[in-house]
Amino acid sequence: MGFQDERPGRLRRAPENFLTNEEIQAVQAGRRSFMRKAFVAASAAMGAPVLARAASGDSAIMNLPPWSTSLGQPVAARPYGLPSRYESNLVRRESPGLTRVGGSSVSFAPLQGLFGIITPSGLHFERHHQGWHDVDPGKHRLMINGLVKTQAVFTMDDLLRLPAVSRIHFIECGANTGMEWGNVAVPTVQYSHGMLSCSEFTGVPLRDLLEQCGADFKKGRYVLAEGADGSSMTRTIPMELIESGEVLVAYGQNGEMLRPENGYPLRLVVPGVQGVSWVKWLRRIEVGDKPWGAKDEAVHYVDLMPDGTHRQYSSTQEAKSVITSPSGGQILLAKGFYNITGLAWSGRGKIKQVDVSIDGGINWRRARLELPVLSKALTRFNVDWVWDGKPAILQSRAMDESGYVQPSYGQLRAVRGSKSIYHNNAIQSWKVLESGEVGNVQVL
Ligand code: MTE
């Protein structure tokens, strides 16, 4: 997908002037006990941090602004609501490091500026192999064929009449954090982890449609999903995922119809599985008795292992987490209290625990998980932190309900080598300099 194929050595400096290997080691060695004390003491002492300033002398509170002394706009000014103009910086972005080839493109979600676990639909990341279309729902069809008693073609009207469910799930592209395999250290969390979003999806369980068509569940252990765009996007989905009732033929996203960029009017939702299997503009489901080995399963989305072989069908997104604030590109303006916040997720179920370190992985403290903690959805975590103005390395480490613990880069590379593009779930490190600048660094 056009990632730069750079393979520099370990702990390469980011383009900005950040810490060297030696400096990281110094932070880790010299500050062990001090940081442990500071970290533990921080939240106890700070209870509820109050950062407000004295009211007297602040003209913003002393004088009435124009919006308090004039008429506001009427309701009809915006039939469809938009964010404030003051939030115009919070947008999806294309990475300058990635080439756009024809319609093949990717935009990253601005994780650093989002709250909670739901990604606003307009900020949901996009990954198109051949661009997106605003498909006419009146002309869109879904066909079900293969090992079924009755082949069927559904219109959108047909599908909208069927019993539906709504479920909150994350979607992560298998190539998310792909550039970090090469230690490229992209500057912000938007570019390092932004092929990740979480929405409430509404649709019909694929199992119900297959039952309606009399699918042969005994012989037909696989399903092929095909998209209607020009990318020939076809993916094999194992039947056991469909039998669980989790896989949805979805038309809804966050309470309204899907956005065109995200597959309007119909997409597959395959919870816990890498994004490429969430086929957009879904037009055909075929039941078969073996995996298809389509191009996006044989050539792309396979893991190049250290011995030169390829690992195929490694579709489940393993437990992963990232601190979204403070994160790369941000600046801490002054010493004192900060809420360290981030996201954790697992393709194998619920997040059980997230630990946070401020000293590059020597000491860990358990983060508070915000409710709800849902299966195969993003989970928001928070930790209180009082920054003492000294360099720090912030990390988060997720554990899911299966007991799996997110690996360090050292652990991941020991098994997977460094030549892969896909399925990088290593612990992310953000280095904080004395100047307050935050940047990306890899700690093994
Ligand atoms: N489906 C079709 N038909 N065409 C595509 O290009 N891209 C896939 C998947 N489904 C794609 C597709 C990939 S690689 C990903 S990561 C997700 O869609 C991205 O979904 P999103 O654009 O809604 O974030």
Side-chain angles (χ1 to χ4, degrees), residues 1 92 103-107 124-132 171-176 194-197 201 225-235 253 258-263 266-268 274-283 296 301 422:
M1 64 176 289
R92 300 187 281 218
S104 179
S105 50
V106 52
S107 73
H124 186 111
F125 84 96
E126 307 158 88
R127 172 71 181 108
H128 320 302
H129 289 236
Q130 277 301 326
W132 60 271
I171 165 173
E172 181 184 23
C173 181
N176 199 24
M195 281 197 265
L196 170 75
S197 294
F201 293 99
E226 180 184 277
D229 54 331
S231 71
S232 311
M233 172 58 68
T234 48
R235 291 289 301 181
Q253 181 182 349
L258 289 160
R259 294 287 168 93
E261 307 93 291
N262 304 118
L266 208 58
R267 87 174 302 166
L268 207 59
Q274 61 179 336
V276 65
S277 293
W278 296 46
V279 173
K280 300 191 276 192
W281 313 290
L282 181 69
R283 76 155 167 211
D296 286 296
Y301 302 93
Y422 304 104

Short mmCIF file of all heavy atoms in Angstrom, two decimals, residues 1 92 103-107 124-132 171-176 194-197 201 225-235 253 258-263 266-268 274-283 296 301 422, ligand 1:
data_model
loop_
_atom_site.label_atom_id
_atom_site.label_comp_id
_atom_site.label_asym_id
_atom_site.label_seq_id
_atom_site.Cartn_x
_atom_site.Cartn_y
_atom_site.Cartn_z
N MET A 1 0.82 -1.20 0.00
CA MET A 1 0.00 0.00 0.00
C MET A 1 0.86 1.25 0.00
O MET A 1 0.47 2.29 0.49
CB MET A 1 -0.99 0.00 1.17
CG MET A 1 -0.37 0.03 2.53
SD MET A 1 -1.64 0.15 3.77
CE MET A 1 -2.17 1.83 3.48
N ARG A 92 -9.55 14.54 9.22
CA ARG A 92 -8.80 13.39 8.72
C ARG A 92 -7.65 13.93 7.87
O ARG A 92 -7.81 14.94 7.19
CB ARG A 92 -9.70 12.52 7.84
CG ARG A 92 -10.90 11.98 8.57
CD ARG A 92 -11.65 11.00 7.73
NE ARG A 92 -12.49 11.64 6.74
CZ ARG A 92 -13.70 11.19 6.39
NH1 ARG A 92 -14.19 10.11 6.95
NH2 ARG A 92 -14.40 11.79 5.47
N GLY A 103 -6.75 5.69 -7.24
CA GLY A 103 -7.76 5.80 -6.19
C GLY A 103 -7.32 5.18 -4.88
O GLY A 103 -8.06 5.21 -3.90
N SER A 104 -6.14 4.57 -4.85
CA SER A 104 -5.69 3.93 -3.61
C SER A 104 -5.20 4.98 -2.64
O SER A 104 -4.21 5.67 -2.90
CB SER A 104 -4.56 2.94 -3.92
OG SER A 104 -4.13 2.34 -2.72
N SER A 105 -5.89 5.14 -1.55
CA SER A 105 -5.55 6.23 -0.64
C SER A 105 -6.01 5.89 0.77
O SER A 105 -6.82 5.00 0.97
CB SER A 105 -6.23 7.53 -1.12
OG SER A 105 -7.59 7.29 -1.36
N VAL A 106 -5.45 6.63 1.70
CA VAL A 106 -5.82 6.42 3.10
C VAL A 106 -5.83 7.76 3.82
O VAL A 106 -4.98 8.61 3.58
CB VAL A 106 -4.85 5.42 3.79
CG1 VAL A 106 -3.40 5.81 3.61
CG2 VAL A 106 -5.15 5.27 5.27
N SER A 107 -6.84 7.95 4.67
CA SER A 107 -6.84 9.13 5.54
C SER A 107 -6.92 8.63 6.98
O SER A 107 -7.56 7.62 7.26
CB SER A 107 -8.02 10.05 5.23
OG SER A 107 -9.22 9.47 5.70
N HIS A 124 -14.13 9.39 10.80
CA HIS A 124 -13.79 7.95 10.68
C HIS A 124 -12.71 7.80 9.61
O HIS A 124 -12.84 8.35 8.52
CB HIS A 124 -15.07 7.21 10.28
CG HIS A 124 -14.93 5.72 10.26
ND1 HIS A 124 -15.55 4.91 11.16
CD2 HIS A 124 -14.23 4.91 9.43
CE1 HIS A 124 -15.26 3.65 10.89
NE2 HIS A 124 -14.45 3.62 9.84
N PHE A 125 -11.66 7.05 9.89
CA PHE A 125 -10.59 6.92 8.89
C PHE A 125 -11.14 6.30 7.61
O PHE A 125 -12.19 5.66 7.63
CB PHE A 125 -9.40 6.10 9.44
CG PHE A 125 -9.53 4.60 9.33
CD1 PHE A 125 -8.97 3.92 8.27
CD2 PHE A 125 -10.19 3.87 10.31
CE1 PHE A 125 -9.07 2.53 8.16
CE2 PHE A 125 -10.30 2.49 10.22
CZ PHE A 125 -9.75 1.82 9.15
N GLU A 126 -10.42 6.51 6.53
CA GLU A 126 -10.84 5.95 5.23
C GLU A 126 -9.68 5.18 4.61
O GLU A 126 -8.54 5.65 4.65
CB GLU A 126 -11.17 7.03 4.21
CG GLU A 126 -12.15 8.08 4.63
CD GLU A 126 -11.92 9.31 3.76
OE1 GLU A 126 -12.52 9.38 2.68
OE2 GLU A 126 -11.13 10.17 4.15
N ARG A 127 -9.99 4.06 4.03
CA ARG A 127 -8.99 3.32 3.26
C ARG A 127 -9.70 2.76 2.02
O ARG A 127 -10.58 1.91 2.14
CB ARG A 127 -8.39 2.19 4.10
CG ARG A 127 -7.47 1.26 3.32
CD ARG A 127 -6.15 1.91 2.95
NE ARG A 127 -5.31 1.00 2.19
CZ ARG A 127 -5.08 1.13 0.87
NH1 ARG A 127 -5.62 2.12 0.17
NH2 ARG A 127 -4.30 0.27 0.24
N HIS A 128 -9.35 3.32 0.88
CA HIS A 128 -9.96 2.87 -0.38
C HIS A 128 -8.88 2.35 -1.30
O HIS A 128 -7.86 3.01 -1.49
CB HIS A 128 -10.64 4.03 -1.11
CG HIS A 128 -11.38 4.98 -0.22
ND1 HIS A 128 -12.39 4.59 0.61
CD2 HIS A 128 -11.23 6.32 -0.03
CE1 HIS A 128 -12.83 5.66 1.27
NE2 HIS A 128 -12.14 6.71 0.90
N HIS A 129 -9.14 1.20 -1.89
CA HIS A 129 -8.17 0.66 -2.86
C HIS A 129 -8.41 1.25 -4.25
O HIS A 129 -7.52 1.21 -5.09
CB HIS A 129 -8.26 -0.87 -2.89
CG HIS A 129 -7.71 -1.51 -1.64
ND1 HIS A 129 -6.71 -2.45 -1.66
CD2 HIS A 129 -7.99 -1.31 -0.33
CE1 HIS A 129 -6.41 -2.81 -0.42
NE2 HIS A 129 -7.19 -2.13 0.41
N GLN A 130 -9.59 1.75 -4.50
CA GLN A 130 -9.89 2.38 -5.80
C GLN A 130 -10.83 3.56 -5.63
O GLN A 130 -11.74 3.73 -6.42
CB GLN A 130 -10.53 1.36 -6.76
CG GLN A 130 -9.56 0.45 -7.51
CD GLN A 130 -8.56 1.22 -8.37
OE1 GLN A 130 -8.88 2.25 -8.91
NE2 GLN A 130 -7.35 0.71 -8.46
N GLY A 131 -10.64 4.34 -4.59
CA GLY A 131 -11.50 5.51 -4.39
C GLY A 131 -12.89 5.13 -3.91
O GLY A 131 -13.24 3.95 -3.86
N TRP A 132 -13.69 6.15 -3.55
CA TRP A 132 -15.03 5.87 -3.06
C TRP A 132 -16.09 6.42 -4.01
O TRP A 132 -15.80 7.31 -4.81
CB TRP A 132 -15.24 6.41 -1.64
CG TRP A 132 -15.09 7.90 -1.48
CD1 TRP A 132 -13.93 8.56 -1.20
CD2 TRP A 132 -16.11 8.91 -1.55
NE1 TRP A 132 -14.16 9.91 -1.10
CE2 TRP A 132 -15.49 10.15 -1.31
CE3 TRP A 132 -17.48 8.87 -1.79
CZ2 TRP A 132 -16.20 11.35 -1.31
CZ3 TRP A 132 -18.19 10.07 -1.79
CH2 TRP A 132 -17.55 11.29 -1.55
N ILE A 171 -12.90 -0.65 14.28
CA ILE A 171 -12.33 -1.17 13.03
C ILE A 171 -10.91 -0.63 12.95
O ILE A 171 -10.69 0.57 13.13
CB ILE A 171 -13.18 -0.81 11.79
CG1 ILE A 171 -12.35 -1.07 10.51
CG2 ILE A 171 -13.76 0.57 11.82
CD1 ILE A 171 -13.16 -0.92 9.21
N GLU A 172 -9.97 -1.53 12.71
CA GLU A 172 -8.56 -1.13 12.58
C GLU A 172 -8.01 -1.78 11.32
O GLU A 172 -8.15 -2.99 11.12
CB GLU A 172 -7.74 -1.60 13.79
CG GLU A 172 -6.28 -1.17 13.69
CD GLU A 172 -5.39 -1.70 14.82
OE1 GLU A 172 -5.73 -2.71 15.45
OE2 GLU A 172 -4.34 -1.08 15.05
N CYS A 173 -7.38 -0.98 10.48
CA CYS A 173 -6.73 -1.53 9.29
C CYS A 173 -5.54 -2.38 9.74
O CYS A 173 -4.82 -2.00 10.66
CB CYS A 173 -6.25 -0.40 8.38
SG CYS A 173 -5.46 -1.02 6.87
N GLY A 174 -5.35 -3.54 9.09
CA GLY A 174 -4.21 -4.40 9.42
C GLY A 174 -2.88 -3.68 9.25
O GLY A 174 -1.87 -4.07 9.83
N ALA A 175 -2.88 -2.63 8.43
CA ALA A 175 -1.64 -1.87 8.19
C ALA A 175 -1.45 -0.72 9.18
O ALA A 175 -0.48 0.03 9.06
CB ALA A 175 -1.64 -1.32 6.77
N ASN A 176 -2.37 -0.57 10.14
CA ASN A 176 -2.21 0.52 11.11
C ASN A 176 -0.88 0.37 11.84
O ASN A 176 -0.49 -0.74 12.20
CB ASN A 176 -3.38 0.48 12.12
CG ASN A 176 -3.56 1.79 12.85
OD1 ASN A 176 -3.18 2.84 12.36
ND2 ASN A 176 -4.18 1.73 14.03
N GLY A 194 -3.82 6.16 13.49
CA GLY A 194 -5.12 6.70 13.06
C GLY A 194 -5.90 5.90 12.04
O GLY A 194 -6.94 6.37 11.57
N MET A 195 -5.42 4.71 11.66
CA MET A 195 -6.28 3.84 10.84
C MET A 195 -7.13 2.99 11.78
O MET A 195 -7.13 1.75 11.75
CB MET A 195 -5.45 2.98 9.89
CG MET A 195 -4.97 3.73 8.68
SD MET A 195 -4.43 2.61 7.37
CE MET A 195 -2.70 2.56 7.69
N LEU A 196 -7.79 3.69 12.68
CA LEU A 196 -8.55 3.08 13.76
C LEU A 196 -9.77 3.95 14.03
O LEU A 196 -9.63 5.18 14.14
CB LEU A 196 -7.68 3.02 15.02
CG LEU A 196 -8.37 2.62 16.32
CD1 LEU A 196 -8.65 1.12 16.31
CD2 LEU A 196 -7.49 2.98 17.52
N SER A 197 -10.94 3.35 14.12
CA SER A 197 -12.14 4.11 14.46
C SER A 197 -13.09 3.18 15.19
O SER A 197 -12.88 1.96 15.22
CB SER A 197 -12.82 4.65 13.19
OG SER A 197 -11.98 5.61 12.58
N PHE A 201 -22.63 0.33 14.76
CA PHE A 201 -23.07 -0.13 13.44
C PHE A 201 -24.43 -0.81 13.57
O PHE A 201 -24.68 -1.53 14.54
CB PHE A 201 -22.07 -1.12 12.85
CG PHE A 201 -20.74 -0.49 12.51
CD1 PHE A 201 -19.66 -0.62 13.38
CD2 PHE A 201 -20.58 0.24 11.34
CE1 PHE A 201 -18.43 -0.02 13.08
CE2 PHE A 201 -19.36 0.84 11.04
CZ PHE A 201 -18.29 0.70 11.91
N ALA A 225 -16.78 -12.39 0.56
CA ALA A 225 -17.49 -11.11 0.51
C ALA A 225 -16.87 -10.27 -0.59
O ALA A 225 -15.65 -10.15 -0.67
CB ALA A 225 -17.37 -10.40 1.86
N GLU A 226 -17.73 -9.68 -1.44
CA GLU A 226 -17.23 -8.92 -2.59
C GLU A 226 -17.79 -7.51 -2.59
O GLU A 226 -18.99 -7.32 -2.35
CB GLU A 226 -17.67 -9.65 -3.87
CG GLU A 226 -17.23 -8.99 -5.16
CD GLU A 226 -17.80 -9.74 -6.37
OE1 GLU A 226 -17.21 -10.74 -6.79
OE2 GLU A 226 -18.87 -9.33 -6.86
N GLY A 227 -16.95 -6.53 -2.86
CA GLY A 227 -17.39 -5.14 -2.91
C GLY A 227 -17.75 -4.71 -4.32
O GLY A 227 -17.32 -5.32 -5.30
N ALA A 228 -18.51 -3.61 -4.41
CA ALA A 228 -19.00 -3.17 -5.72
C ALA A 228 -18.09 -2.13 -6.37
O ALA A 228 -18.36 -1.67 -7.47
CB ALA A 228 -20.41 -2.58 -5.57
N ASP A 229 -17.00 -1.75 -5.70
CA ASP A 229 -16.09 -0.76 -6.30
C ASP A 229 -15.15 -1.45 -7.29
O ASP A 229 -15.19 -2.67 -7.44
CB ASP A 229 -15.28 -0.04 -5.21
CG ASP A 229 -14.55 -1.01 -4.30
OD1 ASP A 229 -15.04 -2.13 -4.12
OD2 ASP A 229 -13.49 -0.64 -3.76
N GLY A 230 -14.29 -0.66 -7.91
CA GLY A 230 -13.43 -1.21 -8.96
C GLY A 230 -12.17 -1.88 -8.45
O GLY A 230 -11.28 -2.19 -9.23
N SER A 231 -12.07 -2.12 -7.13
CA SER A 231 -10.81 -2.65 -6.60
C SER A 231 -10.80 -4.17 -6.54
O SER A 231 -9.82 -4.74 -6.09
CB SER A 231 -10.57 -2.08 -5.20
OG SER A 231 -11.48 -2.64 -4.29
N SER A 232 -11.88 -4.81 -7.00
CA SER A 232 -12.00 -6.28 -6.89
C SER A 232 -11.71 -6.73 -5.47
O SER A 232 -10.95 -7.67 -5.25
CB SER A 232 -11.03 -7.00 -7.83
OG SER A 232 -11.11 -6.48 -9.11
N MET A 233 -12.25 -6.02 -4.53
CA MET A 233 -12.01 -6.34 -3.12
C MET A 233 -12.85 -7.56 -2.74
O MET A 233 -14.07 -7.49 -2.69
CB MET A 233 -12.39 -5.14 -2.26
CG MET A 233 -12.37 -5.38 -0.76
SD MET A 233 -10.78 -5.93 -0.15
CE MET A 233 -9.78 -4.47 -0.38
N THR A 234 -12.18 -8.68 -2.54
CA THR A 234 -12.87 -9.89 -2.09
C THR A 234 -12.10 -10.47 -0.92
O THR A 234 -10.87 -10.53 -0.95
CB THR A 234 -12.97 -10.95 -3.21
OG1 THR A 234 -11.69 -11.09 -3.82
CG2 THR A 234 -13.99 -10.55 -4.26
N ARG A 235 -12.84 -10.88 0.09
CA ARG A 235 -12.20 -11.44 1.29
C ARG A 235 -12.92 -12.70 1.74
O ARG A 235 -14.14 -12.79 1.69
CB ARG A 235 -12.27 -10.43 2.44
CG ARG A 235 -11.41 -9.20 2.27
CD ARG A 235 -9.94 -9.45 2.40
NE ARG A 235 -9.55 -10.02 3.68
CZ ARG A 235 -8.30 -10.30 4.02
NH1 ARG A 235 -7.31 -10.07 3.18
NH2 ARG A 235 -8.01 -10.82 5.20
N GLN A 253 -24.51 3.65 10.73
CA GLN A 253 -23.28 4.02 11.44
C GLN A 253 -23.58 5.24 12.30
O GLN A 253 -23.97 6.29 11.77
CB GLN A 253 -22.19 4.34 10.41
CG GLN A 253 -20.85 4.72 11.00
CD GLN A 253 -19.83 5.06 9.91
OE1 GLN A 253 -20.05 4.82 8.74
NE2 GLN A 253 -18.72 5.63 10.30
N LEU A 258 -24.70 4.77 6.69
CA LEU A 258 -23.24 4.82 6.49
C LEU A 258 -22.88 6.03 5.66
O LEU A 258 -23.65 6.45 4.79
CB LEU A 258 -22.78 3.59 5.71
CG LEU A 258 -22.79 2.22 6.39
CD1 LEU A 258 -22.79 1.12 5.33
CD2 LEU A 258 -21.59 2.08 7.32
N ARG A 259 -21.70 6.55 5.85
CA ARG A 259 -21.19 7.60 4.96
C ARG A 259 -20.67 6.94 3.68
O ARG A 259 -20.15 5.81 3.74
CB ARG A 259 -20.07 8.37 5.65
CG ARG A 259 -20.52 9.17 6.88
CD ARG A 259 -21.31 10.39 6.46
NE ARG A 259 -21.99 11.01 7.57
CZ ARG A 259 -21.50 12.02 8.30
NH1 ARG A 259 -20.28 12.49 8.07
NH2 ARG A 259 -22.20 12.54 9.28
N PRO A 260 -20.75 7.64 2.55
CA PRO A 260 -20.26 7.06 1.29
C PRO A 260 -18.83 6.53 1.40
O PRO A 260 -18.52 5.44 0.90
CB PRO A 260 -20.34 8.23 0.30
CG PRO A 260 -21.41 9.11 0.85
CD PRO A 260 -21.35 8.96 2.35
N GLU A 261 -17.97 7.28 2.09
CA GLU A 261 -16.57 6.86 2.22
C GLU A 261 -16.44 5.55 3.00
O GLU A 261 -15.43 4.86 2.90
CB GLU A 261 -15.74 7.91 2.98
CG GLU A 261 -15.80 9.31 2.44
CD GLU A 261 -16.89 10.12 3.14
OE1 GLU A 261 -18.08 9.83 2.92
OE2 GLU A 261 -16.55 11.04 3.90
N ASN A 262 -17.43 5.26 3.83
CA ASN A 262 -17.37 4.07 4.67
C ASN A 262 -18.26 2.94 4.16
O ASN A 262 -18.56 2.01 4.90
CB ASN A 262 -17.71 4.42 6.13
CG ASN A 262 -16.81 5.51 6.68
OD1 ASN A 262 -17.28 6.58 7.04
ND2 ASN A 262 -15.52 5.28 6.71
N GLY A 263 -18.70 3.05 2.89
CA GLY A 263 -19.36 1.91 2.27
C GLY A 263 -20.84 2.06 1.95
O GLY A 263 -21.48 1.08 1.60
N LEU A 266 -24.06 -0.21 2.00
CA LEU A 266 -23.98 -1.50 2.67
C LEU A 266 -22.53 -1.93 2.84
O LEU A 266 -21.76 -1.89 1.86
CB LEU A 266 -24.71 -2.55 1.81
CG LEU A 266 -25.34 -3.75 2.49
CD1 LEU A 266 -26.35 -3.32 3.54
CD2 LEU A 266 -26.00 -4.65 1.45
N ARG A 267 -22.18 -2.35 4.05
CA ARG A 267 -20.82 -2.87 4.25
C ARG A 267 -20.88 -4.06 5.20
O ARG A 267 -21.84 -4.21 5.96
CB ARG A 267 -19.88 -1.81 4.81
CG ARG A 267 -19.88 -1.71 6.33
CD ARG A 267 -18.83 -0.77 6.87
NE ARG A 267 -17.48 -1.14 6.46
CZ ARG A 267 -16.43 -0.34 6.57
NH1 ARG A 267 -16.56 0.86 7.08
NH2 ARG A 267 -15.24 -0.74 6.20
N LEU A 268 -19.82 -4.85 5.17
CA LEU A 268 -19.72 -5.94 6.12
C LEU A 268 -19.03 -5.43 7.38
O LEU A 268 -18.07 -4.65 7.31
CB LEU A 268 -18.88 -7.06 5.49
CG LEU A 268 -19.15 -8.47 5.99
CD1 LEU A 268 -20.61 -8.87 5.77
CD2 LEU A 268 -18.22 -9.48 5.31
N GLN A 274 -9.30 -7.56 11.08
CA GLN A 274 -8.70 -6.39 10.42
C GLN A 274 -9.65 -5.77 9.39
O GLN A 274 -10.45 -6.46 8.74
CB GLN A 274 -7.39 -6.78 9.77
CG GLN A 274 -7.51 -7.84 8.70
CD GLN A 274 -6.17 -8.18 8.06
OE1 GLN A 274 -5.26 -7.39 8.09
NE2 GLN A 274 -6.06 -9.37 7.51
N GLY A 275 -9.48 -4.46 9.21
CA GLY A 275 -10.43 -3.66 8.42
C GLY A 275 -10.66 -4.15 7.00
O GLY A 275 -11.76 -4.00 6.46
N VAL A 276 -9.65 -4.75 6.39
CA VAL A 276 -9.80 -5.12 4.97
C VAL A 276 -10.95 -6.10 4.77
O VAL A 276 -11.55 -6.15 3.70
CB VAL A 276 -8.46 -5.67 4.41
CG1 VAL A 276 -8.06 -6.97 5.08
CG2 VAL A 276 -8.53 -5.84 2.91
N SER A 277 -11.29 -6.88 5.81
CA SER A 277 -12.40 -7.84 5.68
C SER A 277 -13.77 -7.17 5.82
O SER A 277 -14.79 -7.80 5.56
CB SER A 277 -12.26 -8.96 6.72
OG SER A 277 -11.13 -9.74 6.43
N TRP A 278 -13.76 -5.92 6.23
CA TRP A 278 -15.03 -5.19 6.38
C TRP A 278 -15.40 -4.61 5.00
O TRP A 278 -15.34 -3.40 4.78
CB TRP A 278 -14.90 -4.06 7.38
CG TRP A 278 -14.61 -4.46 8.81
CD1 TRP A 278 -13.69 -5.36 9.26
CD2 TRP A 278 -15.24 -3.91 9.97
NE1 TRP A 278 -13.70 -5.40 10.62
CE2 TRP A 278 -14.64 -4.53 11.09
CE3 TRP A 278 -16.24 -2.96 10.18
CZ2 TRP A 278 -15.03 -4.22 12.40
CZ3 TRP A 278 -16.62 -2.65 11.48
CH2 TRP A 278 -16.02 -3.29 12.57
N VAL A 279 -15.77 -5.50 4.09
CA VAL A 279 -15.93 -5.11 2.69
C VAL A 279 -17.02 -4.03 2.54
O VAL A 279 -18.14 -4.19 3.02
CB VAL A 279 -16.24 -6.35 1.83
CG1 VAL A 279 -16.57 -5.95 0.40
CG2 VAL A 279 -15.05 -7.31 1.87
N LYS A 280 -16.63 -2.95 1.87
CA LYS A 280 -17.55 -1.81 1.67
C LYS A 280 -18.31 -1.99 0.36
O LYS A 280 -17.90 -2.73 -0.52
CB LYS A 280 -16.76 -0.50 1.64
CG LYS A 280 -15.98 -0.26 2.93
CD LYS A 280 -15.41 1.14 3.01
CE LYS A 280 -14.09 1.27 2.30
NZ LYS A 280 -13.41 2.55 2.62
N TRP A 281 -19.41 -1.26 0.24
CA TRP A 281 -20.28 -1.33 -0.95
C TRP A 281 -20.55 -2.80 -1.29
O TRP A 281 -20.47 -3.25 -2.44
CB TRP A 281 -19.61 -0.59 -2.13
CG TRP A 281 -19.08 0.75 -1.70
CD1 TRP A 281 -19.83 1.84 -1.36
CD2 TRP A 281 -17.72 1.14 -1.52
NE1 TRP A 281 -19.02 2.87 -0.99
CE2 TRP A 281 -17.72 2.47 -1.08
CE3 TRP A 281 -16.50 0.50 -1.69
CZ2 TRP A 281 -16.54 3.17 -0.79
CZ3 TRP A 281 -15.33 1.18 -1.41
CH2 TRP A 281 -15.36 2.50 -0.97
N LEU A 282 -20.87 -3.55 -0.22
CA LEU A 282 -21.00 -5.02 -0.29
C LEU A 282 -22.06 -5.43 -1.32
O LEU A 282 -23.21 -5.00 -1.23
CB LEU A 282 -21.39 -5.54 1.09
CG LEU A 282 -21.56 -7.05 1.24
CD1 LEU A 282 -20.21 -7.76 1.12
CD2 LEU A 282 -22.20 -7.37 2.59
N ARG A 283 -21.68 -6.25 -2.29
CA ARG A 283 -22.67 -6.64 -3.30
C ARG A 283 -22.85 -8.14 -3.47
O ARG A 283 -23.79 -8.59 -4.11
CB ARG A 283 -22.32 -6.03 -4.65
CG ARG A 283 -21.17 -6.71 -5.35
CD ARG A 283 -21.26 -6.51 -6.84
NE ARG A 283 -20.01 -6.90 -7.45
CZ ARG A 283 -19.54 -6.35 -8.53
NH1 ARG A 283 -20.18 -5.37 -9.11
NH2 ARG A 283 -18.42 -6.77 -9.06
N ASP A 296 -6.06 -9.98 -2.22
CA ASP A 296 -5.85 -9.27 -0.96
C ASP A 296 -5.66 -10.23 0.22
O ASP A 296 -5.59 -9.80 1.37
CB ASP A 296 -7.01 -8.31 -0.70
CG ASP A 296 -6.89 -7.09 -1.62
OD1 ASP A 296 -5.92 -6.35 -1.48
OD2 ASP A 296 -7.77 -6.92 -2.49
N TYR A 301 -1.79 -7.98 3.02
CA TYR A 301 -2.32 -8.33 4.35
C TYR A 301 -1.80 -9.68 4.82
O TYR A 301 -2.46 -10.41 5.54
CB TYR A 301 -3.86 -8.26 4.36
CG TYR A 301 -4.33 -6.88 3.97
CD1 TYR A 301 -4.64 -6.59 2.64
CD2 TYR A 301 -4.37 -5.85 4.89
CE1 TYR A 301 -5.01 -5.31 2.24
CE2 TYR A 301 -4.75 -4.57 4.51
CZ TYR A 301 -5.06 -4.31 3.19
OH TYR A 301 -5.42 -3.05 2.83
N TYR A 422 2.21 -5.35 8.31
CA TYR A 422 0.90 -5.49 8.96
C TYR A 422 1.00 -5.95 10.42
O TYR A 422 2.00 -6.49 10.85
CB TYR A 422 0.07 -6.51 8.17
CG TYR A 422 -0.07 -6.11 6.72
CD1 TYR A 422 0.68 -6.74 5.74
CD2 TYR A 422 -0.91 -5.07 6.35
CE1 TYR A 422 0.56 -6.37 4.41
CE2 TYR A 422 -1.03 -4.68 5.03
CZ TYR A 422 -0.29 -5.33 4.05
OH TYR A 422 -0.39 -4.94 2.76
N1 MTE B 1 -13.99 -2.58 0.68
C1 MTE B 1 -13.96 -2.25 -0.63
N2 MTE B 1 -14.97 -2.63 -1.42
N3 MTE B 1 -12.93 -1.53 -1.16
C2 MTE B 1 -11.88 -1.12 -0.37
O1 MTE B 1 -10.98 -0.45 -0.87
N4 MTE B 1 -10.85 -1.20 1.86
C3 MTE B 1 -10.71 -2.09 2.99
C4 MTE B 1 -12.04 -2.27 3.72
N5 MTE B 1 -13.09 -2.55 2.80
C5 MTE B 1 -11.89 -1.50 0.99
C6 MTE B 1 -13.00 -2.22 1.48
C7 MTE B 1 -9.72 -1.69 3.96
S1 MTE B 1 -8.11 -2.05 3.55
C8 MTE B 1 -10.05 -1.17 5.16
S2 MTE B 1 -8.88 -0.87 6.33
C9 MTE B 1 -11.42 -0.79 5.48
O2 MTE B 1 -12.31 -1.07 4.42
C10 MTE B 1 -11.48 0.68 5.79
O3 MTE B 1 -12.79 1.05 6.08
P1 MTE B 1 -13.15 2.60 6.19
O4 MTE B 1 -12.69 3.27 4.92
O5 MTE B 1 -14.60 2.67 6.41
O6 MTE B 1 -12.38 3.11 7.37
#
